[in-house]
Amino acid sequence: MKLFKKVMAVGLASTMVLSMAACGGAEKETTAAPATTAAETKAEETKAEETTAAEAAETTAAEVAAAAGDFDASNTTVGISIYKFDDNFMTLYRTELERYLVEELGFKKENITIQDGKGDQAEQSNQIDNFITSGVDVLILNLVQASSAPQITDKCKDAGIPVVYINREPDVDEEERWKAEGLQATYVGCDARQSGTFQGEEILETANKGDINGDGKVSYIMIQGDPENVDAQYRTEFSVKALTDAGMEVNELFKQRGDWDQAKGQQLTQDALTQFGEEVEVVFCNNDAMALGALQAIEAAGRKVNEDIYLVGVDALTEAVQNVLDGKMTGTVFNDHMAQAKAAADIAVQYLKGEAVEPVNMVDYRKVTPDNAQEVLDALK
């Protein structure tokens, strides 16, 4: 937006120069000047105007290049809204995002505002409106509801503010619209289908491929995040698909939403174990917070992970990775918050420099098993 205003200012100045040149040429005939024909006078005026226009065009190009190269992170404002501060994973993410912006990219901490959406889309939308009104240079948004992206993107477009969506992916139609309309909007995240597939593979890598009781099928419970969230949908679908693609028969005993919450994960797992008892062979959790709650319920029920029940999560929270190392969880999947935070910040800078950005930017997940848990734990520390 600032670059656009600068270009417009140069353009207006160039127009004034041309107008003044044209008027001056008409007034400076004197009787002392050699006689010329009307055609010669017109040719000279045309040549002068072309020269002035060429000089103005060169000035404009130089101004644009200078403006694009003058990006100064220390004078740039960033508005960040996180869907909920008390989400374990997003706490790690926002901490790394702020650290990287300040320590490695040169932004001033006082120019970065991070707000808590409190799990309320109306609350978050008000925050975004305030960011736009205050004139921040770029927005980085972890939406409460990814379905709100079209309306928010349009507001940002009207204000001339680029927006980087993180962690919660808008739908494909919206992402295609960004590209088709040339909007300054993008998504940075991981493909949740990959994380679900990795969860299923971790069960397949056990000695009995999840079929602990040997009845020829894997009986499981599924503790979901928010079913409206695409990550929850894909993790739920693809964890089970990995089993069926490998030729395993499955039996879904229980599926409930735990909203990414540890206490809800504990309660739901407790309910399932009370209802189905030893039938439960596998507990799939869409994230590690719920898996940590599930572990509490498993231990309270006298069950033992990797002996008479399997448990997998996603995110690679430090406590969860330690549990994998200690044999208290079968596995988790590293949702690399460090790589994602860096990618989101780098892409925000690309926008601020006037560079082109792809509408979708994915970072790979990594399986976390007993074989590599220590390596991942060291990286997290």
Side-chain angles (χ1 to χ4, degrees):
M1 182 167 62
K2 293 175 182 175
L3 177 58
F4 174 76
K5 289 178 180 177
K6 190 166 185 179
V7 172
M8 288 297 292
V10 173
L12 288 171
S14 299
T15 302
M16 292 173 65
V17 169
L18 288 173
S19 298
M20 292 170 64
C23 291
E27 292 174 356
K28 290 186 178 178
E29 283 190 358
T30 65
T31 54
T36 58
T37 65
E40 290 172 335
T41 300
K42 181 65 176 176
E44 290 174 0
E45 290 176 354
T46 299
K47 183 177 181 180
E49 289 176 6
E50 288 175 349
T51 300
T52 305
E55 292 172 350
E58 289 175 0
T59 301
T60 301
E63 287 287 320
V64 170
D70 279 346
F71 167 71
D72 181 2
S74 67
N75 291 323
T76 301
T77 55
V78 184
I80 302 171
S81 181
I82 303 299
Y83 96 98
K84 190 169 66 170
F85 271 13
D86 61 5
D87 179 289
N88 299 14
F89 174 74
M90 288 312 301
T91 297
L92 294 173
Y93 195 127
R94 64 185 164 88
T95 301
E96 175 62 20
L97 179 59
E98 183 177 31
R99 185 206 67 78
Y100 185 70
L101 285 166
V102 174
E103 296 180 12
E104 300 193 37
L105 295 184
F107 288 80
K108 287 184 178 178
K109 190 169 183 177
E110 58 267 30
N111 289 339
I112 301 170
T113 304
I114 306 178
Q115 295 193 333
D116 181 2
K118 301 176 182 177
D120 183 335
Q121 187 58 60
E123 170 83 13
Q124 187 178 58
S125 293
N126 286 334
Q127 294 170 1
I128 294 167
D129 288 344
N130 290 335
F131 279 141
I132 291 173
T133 300
S134 69
V136 297
D137 293 298
V138 66
L139 283 167
I140 300 176
L141 303 177
N142 168 221
L143 296 177
V144 174
Q145 296 175 352
S147 58
S148 65
Q151 295 76 26
I152 292 169
T153 301
D154 287 341
K155 287 182 180 181
C156 293
K157 176 193 70 174
D158 292 341
I161 300 173
V163 56
V164 180
Y165 293 107
I166 60 173
N167 183 250
R168 295 187 164 194
E169 187 176 5
D171 64 33
V172 174
D173 289 343
E174 175 63 3
E175 291 170 340
E176 289 177 348
R177 182 175 79 98
W178 302 339
K179 186 170 186 178
E181 297 181 15
L183 302 179
Q184 286 189 304
T186 190
Y187 173 71
V188 176
C190 295
D191 186 343
R193 289 168 288 200
Q194 186 184 49
S195 62
T197 298
F198 283 171
Q199 283 188 304
E201 289 178 356
E202 288 173 343
I203 299 302
L204 291 169
E205 288 162 6
T206 63
N208 45 34
K209 299 184 178 180
D211 181 16
I212 293 172
N213 60 21
D215 66 354
K217 58 188 176 184
V218 178
S219 296
Y220 70 91
I221 68 172
M222 181 70 67
I223 311 299
Q224 288 187 293
D226 175 358
E228 294 181 5
N229 179 277
V230 69
D231 283 6
Q233 294 167 9
Y234 283 151
R235 288 173 188 171
T236 296
E237 176 186 354
F238 282 82
S239 57
V240 177
K241 186 175 185 294
L243 298 180
T244 56
D245 284 352
M248 298 298 293
E249 184 180 343
V250 297
N251 177 30
E252 180 181 279
L253 299 172
F254 180 96
K255 180 170 71 177
Q256 294 289 336
R257 64 182 291 170
D259 293 317
W260 315 108
D261 183 78
Q262 181 169 337
K264 289 183 179 180
Q266 179 181 6
Q267 184 61 56
L268 291 171
T269 304
Q270 178 182 308
D271 293 345
L273 292 175
T274 298
Q275 183 177 355
F276 297 102
E278 293 183 359
E279 285 185 70
V280 181
E281 297 172 295
V282 175
V283 180
F284 285 111
C285 294
N286 283 172
N287 78 341
D288 278 346
M290 295 187 298
L292 293 174
L295 177 59
Q296 292 173 299
I298 288 169
E299 292 179 336
R303 305 286 292 273
K304 190 166 183 180
V305 173
N306 294 334
E307 290 189 13
D308 60 16
I309 195 168
Y310 295 119
L311 171 64
V312 291
V314 176
D315 282 340
L317 298 180
T318 301
E319 187 177 352
V321 177
Q322 186 65 56
N323 284 339
V324 174
L325 200 59
D326 295 341
K328 294 182 178 180
M329 283 178 60
T330 308
T332 184
V333 181
F334 186 16
N335 191 1
D336 193 341
H337 63 278
M338 294 177 286
Q340 290 178 71
K342 291 175 182 178
D346 287 341
I347 285 171
V349 169
Q350 283 183 259
Y351 273 136
L352 294 166
K353 289 182 174 180
E355 297 173 4
V357 173
E358 290 297 317
V360 178
N361 304 271
M362 290 298 189
V363 176
D364 280 336
Y365 285 96
R366 289 174 60 193
K367 277 193 284 189
V368 181
T369 67
D371 292 337
N372 71 344
Q374 187 60 60
E375 176 190 338
V376 174
L377 198 60
D378 292 342
L380 291 172
K381 292 177 180 179

